[in-house]
Amino acid sequence: MEIPLGRNRDSCGFAEERKCFRSRSTEKRTPERLSDCSILYRVCPMEPRRLRYFLAAAQELHFTRAARLLRVAQPALSQQIRLLEEEVGTKLFKRANRRVSLTPAGEAFRVRAISSVEQASLAVSDALSVGRGKSGTISMGLVSSSVYSEVPSFLRWFRSSVPDANLELKELEPWEQWESIERGSLDIGIMHASPDNPMLEAVLLSREKLILALPEHHVIAQKQLIDFKMLELETFIIPPRHRLFGYHDTVIAACRSNGFAPAKILTTRFLQTSLGLVAGGLGVALVPATFQDCLKVRGVVYRSLMPPVPEVELFAVWRKGEASPLLLRVQNALRNFEFLIREEDCFQHWREPVVSHINSPSAAKSPVLSEAWKVS
């Protein structure tokens, strides 16, 4: 029902409007829809230009100076102020003897007008930030072992490159990540397997050699280089295939390539948990080489394996198709990281400044991965 503005109003000006709302109180309504709040939108001044003109006049208390400040003609300013007063329904300025001052209603209106203009400015700023991929939210799943490899480098890049964006991290198994990505409830997954699914895209983040974790008093612990065939009778402690199948398959394939199947397999939920079982003498475990630097467990020693050394791969996976500007920015960074991993020489020179000692052994170890991930 259309209510003509300025008619049938009580002392507060909204008799018919209240009657209209009471008649619809039993209906199912969605308050955030514009159509349900149309009366409020019609009676409230929402013209940003008029609000700016009003605030300039309220600041200068002189229409000519306010017009000069806004770079508009003084008659145009006066006309917009009159239209605003008609829309509000009361005088906002006192005009007497070429002097201008705010009425009490104008003082009250000024406070709200400042807030409205600020909110409109913030709305524009937020929209531009999201549209340029500088803010927003990314949800990322990861397997627990990945926090010892490339994930910290990604986190440093994310915080430095898009500090206004939010990153939601969820520790999930690979199959949980796949399902969440397919449903659209997860943006990116970090796992040790590349899915065979045309709907998903996967990029390689790292390829890492495996080392042997064994009890410190084990008979072969005195050797610094272990022949894989010496493990034929050992119990292998690994996550079950349905939880970390990319990693599980790598370990089983390494055994078979050396001519044997594991004599016994002991499964554990997390790869890190296997180190505690190794310390207890329950078996041996193949773990990424980064564990040697990141995880020191009493009673466990790490040993290198004789070539060919098995490797485990870490992938970033996401759903193909449309994506937010922020998600596209992150995906491009991850694709760039995949290329740099495969082109190690290019990677080293690109992320380091060209100086005279660039080829020295100490210089080769100094770069920070996050510097190579900067995207425009």
Side-chain angles (χ1 to χ4, degrees):
M1 179 175 66
E2 291 291 327
I3 305 298
L5 297 182
R7 300 180 186 176
N8 300 321
R9 296 188 175 186
D10 60 3
S11 59
C12 296
F14 299 100
E16 293 292 339
E17 286 87 336
R18 280 199 289 269
K19 189 185 298 182
C20 175
F21 279 119
R22 282 198 300 269
S23 66
R24 300 168 61 185
S25 60
T26 58
E27 299 176 4
K28 292 183 178 180
R29 303 172 60 242
T30 307
E32 62 271 15
R33 292 179 57 190
L34 179 61
S35 60
D36 289 335
C37 302
S38 58
I39 293 176
L40 297 179
Y41 276 88
R42 288 200 302 275
V43 300
C44 294
M46 298 299 293
E47 173 60 56
R49 180 180 58 170
R50 292 177 186 170
L51 292 180
R52 289 190 293 107
Y53 284 11
F54 165 79
L55 290 175
Q59 173 183 305
E60 299 296 328
L61 295 178
H62 194 284
F63 282 9
T64 301
R65 289 199 301 266
R68 189 181 301 120
L69 179 65
L70 294 168
R71 297 182 180 181
V72 299
Q74 191 270 332
L77 172 66
S78 298
Q79 181 185 20
Q80 291 300 319
I81 294 296
R82 282 195 299 270
L83 292 174
L84 179 62
E85 288 178 329
E86 290 178 6
E87 192 172 12
V88 174
T90 187
K91 291 292 184 181
L92 302 176
F93 290 96
K94 295 178 183 178
R95 302 167 180 83
N97 299 326
R98 295 188 177 184
R99 299 188 61 181
V100 177
S101 61
L102 286 171
T103 65
E107 291 284 0
F109 187 81
R110 177 177 174 272
V111 175
R112 297 293 187 182
I114 291 174
S115 178
S116 296
V117 171
E118 289 177 346
Q119 291 300 317
S121 177
L122 289 174
V124 172
S125 177
D126 290 347
L128 284 174
S129 181
V130 172
R132 293 171 180 173
K134 295 183 178 181
S135 63
T137 300
I138 295 292
S139 59
M140 174 179 286
L142 51 85
V143 291
S144 57
S145 58
S146 65
V147 299
Y148 302 106
S149 54
E150 306 306 334
V151 168
S153 298
F154 170 80
L155 296 178
R156 288 193 294 271
W157 170 84
F158 192 91
R159 294 189 64 183
S160 63
S161 298
V162 281
D164 295 329
N166 297 319
L167 182 64
E168 297 178 352
L169 293 176
K170 303 175 182 179
E171 190 173 357
L172 301 171
E173 304 298 344
W175 62 271
E176 293 176 313
Q177 295 186 45
W178 285 8
E179 290 182 354
S180 298
I181 293 172
E182 290 174 352
R183 290 196 308 265
S185 58
L186 192 69
D187 294 318
I188 297 175
I190 306 296
M191 61 191 76
H192 291 292
S194 176
D196 184 15
N197 186 334
M199 296 175 56
L200 305 181
E201 179 179 349
V203 298
L204 178 66
L205 292 184
S206 69
R207 184 181 292 111
E208 190 173 0
K209 295 183 183 300
L210 295 180
I211 58 175
L212 181 66
L214 68 163
E216 61 180 351
H217 299 301
H218 196 282
V219 64
I220 62 174
Q222 297 179 352
K223 296 179 177 292
Q224 295 301 314
L225 195 62
I226 306 297
D227 187 344
F228 205 98
K229 295 180 180 179
M230 299 175 65
L231 307 175
E232 184 174 0
L233 302 179
E234 298 293 337
T235 298
F236 281 80
I237 306 174
I238 53 178
R241 188 177 189 277
H242 74 278
R243 292 194 175 276
L244 206 57
F245 50 88
Y247 193 92
H248 182 104
D249 292 349
T250 298
V251 175
I252 299 301
C255 293
R256 290 176 177 172
S257 65
N258 282 276
F260 67 91
K264 185 178 179 181
I265 293 177
L266 180 61
T267 60
T268 180
R269 178 177 173 82
F270 298 110
L271 191 59
Q272 301 91 308
T273 308
S274 65
L275 297 179
L277 303 184
V278 169
L282 299 185
V284 300
L286 293 181
V287 297
T290 51
F291 275 33
Q292 187 170 9
D293 298 324
C294 300
L295 291 177
K296 302 293 185 181
V297 178
R298 182 183 302 176
V300 175
V301 294
Y302 297 101
R303 295 292 182 262
S304 299
L305 296 167
M306 294 179 61
V309 180
E311 296 178 331
V312 64
E313 296 176 328
L314 188 68
F315 294 91
V317 180
W318 57 79
R319 185 185 179 92
K320 294 180 181 178
E322 295 185 2
S324 68
L326 176 61
L327 183 54
L328 287 174
R329 184 183 177 94
V330 172
Q331 290 173 353
N332 286 335
L334 294 173
R335 290 191 188 98
N336 194 34
F337 191 76
E338 176 192 24
F339 170 77
L340 296 177
I341 288 294
R342 294 182 177 179
E343 302 292 337
E344 186 64 23
D345 292 337
C346 175
F347 184 32
Q348 293 287 347
H349 286 80
W350 186 48
R351 62 180 177 171
E352 289 186 333
V354 180
V355 292
S356 57
H357 59 278
I358 192 69
N359 294 321
S360 68
S362 60
K365 298 179 180 179
S366 62
V368 180
L369 285 174
S370 58
E371 291 300 319
W373 281 24
K374 290 183 178 179
V375 293
S376 58

